[in-house]
């Protein structure tokens, strides 16, 4: 269908829809839809890949199904038109075309922004616009509406714009940006597939590809809206001044992000401590880094902070972490005989490493007893430190109970001084 219908053609269309030949078209159209479903099902397999744009979650909600249905319906229309008057396909083809636009926009936005609340609103807006455009196209109202929009015009600088150009340019810009997001998401998924030491380098490439495609898409979108791209030279100069003054922190964070990814001082999965916050590096973005603590909390740390401040990386050279706990024993305890027993009990705790071996040291002589410090190593800090320290303390407690070792309570000796002054004089 390449043009809208006038009043006479619209009347003929509804007349043909009531004839028996329309049932034949419906049967052919149903065959096209069924064939599309079967082809997509065979290509997808039993289970679709997570976040698939082509196949979707239920076959029919992906992009490939309406695309195949549109192609098959268009081919069937060419074959049927030689023997039957066309009625059903005149309605089906624009409807399928609108379905392609809706599915493409919805799937790309869901994959690109999976947790954004505005995606749902955008989905409904795109659906309403697409279906409204189909109705206006079929009824022949769309050309009249476009002509009316052509009469509304204004001048911006040396550029003459009309309402029609603005609307068409906005729709074209949206479609171009959606396609750019789709291509960038597909390239990023391929670049980040798998794992290894070069994950940071692939993350750099993915971020650069996304930024480049979005920039190209923005230029094409602006060109479609009728904006003179030569004006971007002035905009680029103003943007440079803005980055030099007002946006220098944002620019510094972006540059720091690429530096971190390039030199790999921090990698995704490392256990780090930043500003007294311990956690695992969950993601490194171009502007910030997400650090997830073992408690489930997440910290969003600007990349500039990771460059200019001290960062403790527990995973850069060695995953082994030294932990310690303390206990006090009463004076008179045979510490030399107790030390190897405590070290042996701590070594039996599942997560404690045998090399380096645990140690029990006499740290100091306190007021109420002798303080012992127990040092031990673990190789999996990402599984928590408080739980293994608790297991070590329980093992030490078992040793004390077995050996009859006393953990002293605070003790104070009080001397009572009499208040009779005569006793002092008698003594003189």
């Amino acid at each position: 269908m390449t043009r809208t219908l006038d009043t006479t053609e619209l009347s003929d269309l509804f007349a043909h829809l009531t004839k028996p030949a329309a049932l034949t078209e419906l049967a052919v159209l149903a065959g096209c839809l069924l064939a599309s479903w079967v082809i997509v099902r065979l290509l997808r397999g039993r289970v679709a890949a997570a976040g698939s744009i082509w196949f979707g979650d239920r076959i029919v909600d992906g992009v490939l199904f309406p695309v195949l249905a549109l192609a098959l319906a268009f081919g069937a229309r060419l074959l049927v038109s030689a023997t039957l008057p066309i009625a059903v396909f005149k309605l089906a083809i624009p409807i399928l075309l609108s379905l392609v636009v809706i599915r493409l926009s919805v799937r790309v936005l869901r994959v690109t922004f999976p947790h954004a609340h505005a995606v749902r609103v955008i989905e409904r807006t795109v659906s309403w616009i697409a279906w409204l455009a189909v109705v206006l196209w079929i009824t022949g109202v769309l050309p009249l509406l476009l002509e009316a929009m052509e009469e509304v015009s204004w001048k911006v600088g040396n550029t003459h714009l009309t309402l029609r150009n603005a609307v068409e340019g906005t729709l074209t810009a949206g479609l171009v940006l959606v396609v750019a997001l789709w291509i960038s998401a597909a390239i990023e998924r391929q670049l980040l597939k798998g794992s290894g030491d070069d994950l940071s380098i692939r993350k750099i490439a993915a971020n650069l590809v996304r930024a480049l495609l979005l920039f190209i898409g923005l230029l094409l979108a602006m060109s479609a809206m009728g904006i003179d791209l030569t004006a971007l030279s002035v905009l680029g100069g103003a943007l440079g001044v803005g980055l030099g003054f007002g946006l220098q922190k944002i620019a510094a964070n972006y540059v720091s992000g690429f530096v971190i990814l390039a030199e790999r001082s921090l990698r995704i999965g490392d256990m780090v401590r930043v500003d007294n916050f311990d956690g695992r590096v969950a993601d490194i973005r171009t502007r910030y880094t997400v650090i997830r603590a073992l408690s489930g909390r997440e910290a969003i740390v600007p990349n500039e902070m990771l460059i200019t401040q001290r960062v403790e990386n527990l995973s850069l050279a060695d995953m082994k972490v030294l932990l310690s706990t303390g206990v006090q024993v009463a004076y008179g305890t045979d510490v030399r005989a107790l030390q190897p027993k405590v070290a042996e009990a701590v070594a039996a705790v599942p997560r404690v490493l045998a090399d380096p071996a645990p140690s029990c040291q006499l740290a100091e002589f306190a007021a109420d007893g002798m303080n012992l410090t127990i040092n031990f190593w673990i190789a999996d800090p990402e599984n928590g430190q408080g739980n293994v320290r608790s297991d070590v303390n329980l093992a030490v407690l078992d040793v004390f109970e077995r050996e009859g070792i006393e953990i002293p309570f605070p003790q104070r000796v009080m001397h009572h001084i009499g208040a009779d002054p005569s006793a002092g004089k008698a003594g003189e």
Side-chain angles (χ1 to χ4, degrees):
M1 190 171 183
T2 58
R3 61 182 180 84
T4 58
L5 303 177
D6 55 26
T7 306
T8 303
E9 292 174 331
L10 189 61
S11 300
D12 294 338
L13 174 63
F14 286 110
H16 285 303
L17 289 175
T18 60
K19 294 182 179 181
L23 297 177
T24 303
E25 290 187 80
L26 285 174
V28 175
L29 179 61
C32 294
L33 297 177
L34 180 60
S36 301
W37 187 92
V38 172
I39 293 174
V40 176
R41 176 65 175 79
L42 293 176
L43 292 176
R44 188 196 72 164
R46 283 184 167 270
V47 180
S52 174
I53 297 177
W54 280 111
F55 300 111
D57 300 325
R58 297 181 300 273
I59 297 180
V60 295
D61 62 343
V63 178
L64 186 57
F65 174 77
V67 169
L68 285 178
L70 177 62
L72 294 178
F74 188 79
R77 179 194 173 184
L78 296 178
L79 296 177
V80 173
S81 61
T83 57
L84 295 175
I86 299 300
V88 175
F89 282 104
K90 288 184 178 180
L91 299 177
I93 290 180
I95 290 175
L96 290 175
L97 181 59
S98 299
L99 187 60
V100 171
V101 175
I102 293 173
R103 291 303 184 201
L104 176 62
S105 304
V106 169
R107 294 303 305 177
V108 171
L109 290 176
R110 283 185 179 178
V111 172
T112 308
F113 309 104
H115 304 296
H117 298 289
V119 172
R120 187 65 177 173
V121 179
I122 297 176
E123 291 176 7
R124 294 179 179 178
T125 303
V126 171
S127 300
W128 278 105
I129 293 176
W131 295 127
L132 182 61
V134 171
V135 174
L136 296 177
W137 179 273
I138 294 175
T139 57
V141 178
L142 186 60
L144 301 177
L145 182 61
L146 293 177
E147 291 178 2
M149 294 170 62
E150 189 73 29
E151 297 177 358
V152 180
S153 62
W154 62 91
K155 190 174 182 181
V156 180
N158 296 326
T159 305
H160 182 75
L161 295 177
T162 64
L163 182 58
R164 176 176 179 176
N165 290 338
V167 173
E168 290 179 348
T170 302
L171 296 177
T172 305
L175 182 60
V176 169
L177 290 178
V178 166
V179 174
L181 287 173
W182 183 11
I183 297 175
S184 64
I187 295 176
E188 182 177 5
R189 187 163 51 250
Q190 292 297 324
L191 289 175
L192 298 181
K193 185 180 296 184
S195 60
D197 295 335
D198 60 342
L199 181 60
S200 298
I201 302 298
R202 286 183 281 152
K203 188 70 175 179
I204 292 179
N207 290 334
L208 289 176
V209 168
R210 177 182 288 270
L212 179 61
L213 288 177
L214 287 179
F215 178 72
I216 295 175
L218 181 61
L219 292 181
L220 294 177
M222 295 175 63
S223 178
M225 294 179 67
I227 299 177
D228 188 5
L229 297 182
T230 56
L232 292 180
S233 57
V234 179
L235 179 62
L239 182 61
V241 174
L243 289 176
F245 291 97
L247 301 179
Q248 57 180 346
K249 286 292 184 181
I250 297 179
N253 286 324
Y254 273 96
V255 174
S256 300
F258 284 107
V259 171
I260 292 172
L261 291 170
E263 66 182 11
R264 292 191 289 181
S265 57
L266 290 179
R267 298 166 297 184
I268 297 176
D270 285 356
M271 290 293 299
V272 298
R273 174 179 295 170
V274 181
D275 196 19
N276 294 325
F277 187 88
D278 296 341
R280 175 182 291 276
V281 178
D283 195 8
I284 302 177
R285 301 294 183 92
T286 52
R287 189 181 64 84
Y288 60 87
T289 296
V290 179
I291 301 177
R292 181 178 178 84
L294 299 177
S295 61
R297 295 182 303 148
E298 288 187 348
I300 299 177
V301 182
N303 287 329
E304 184 186 13
M305 180 182 293
L306 302 177
I307 294 293
T308 59
Q309 296 188 10
R310 173 184 173 183
V311 178
E312 297 182 21
N313 192 337
L314 306 181
S315 309
L316 185 60
D318 193 349
M319 285 290 292
K320 296 178 183 178
V321 176
L322 175 64
L323 301 180
S324 63
T325 185
V327 67
Q328 192 175 76
V329 297
Y331 283 105
T333 303
D334 189 355
V335 177
R336 288 187 174 87
L338 180 62
Q339 285 177 314
K341 297 178 181 178
V342 171
E344 182 182 358
V346 173
V349 176
R351 291 177 54 195
V352 174
L353 297 178
D355 185 20
S359 64
C360 178
Q361 301 171 352
L362 177 59
E364 62 178 345
F365 299 100
D368 304 314
M370 296 177 288
N371 291 334
L372 302 181
T373 300
I374 303 167
N375 299 316
F376 57 95
W377 293 79
I378 62 173
D380 53 350
E382 69 277 5
N383 294 327
Q385 301 179 12
N387 49 5
V388 66
R389 185 177 282 112
S390 175
D391 293 339
V392 168
N393 289 334
L394 290 174
V396 173
L397 185 61
D398 293 338
V399 173
F400 281 18
E401 292 178 352
R402 185 171 61 250
E403 299 294 330
I405 304 299
E406 177 186 357
I407 299 178
F409 295 99
Q411 301 178 11
R412 297 293 181 267
V413 178
M414 300 180 63
H415 299 277
H416 179 70
I417 301 176
D420 187 1
S422 62
K425 293 180 179 180
E428 295 175 359

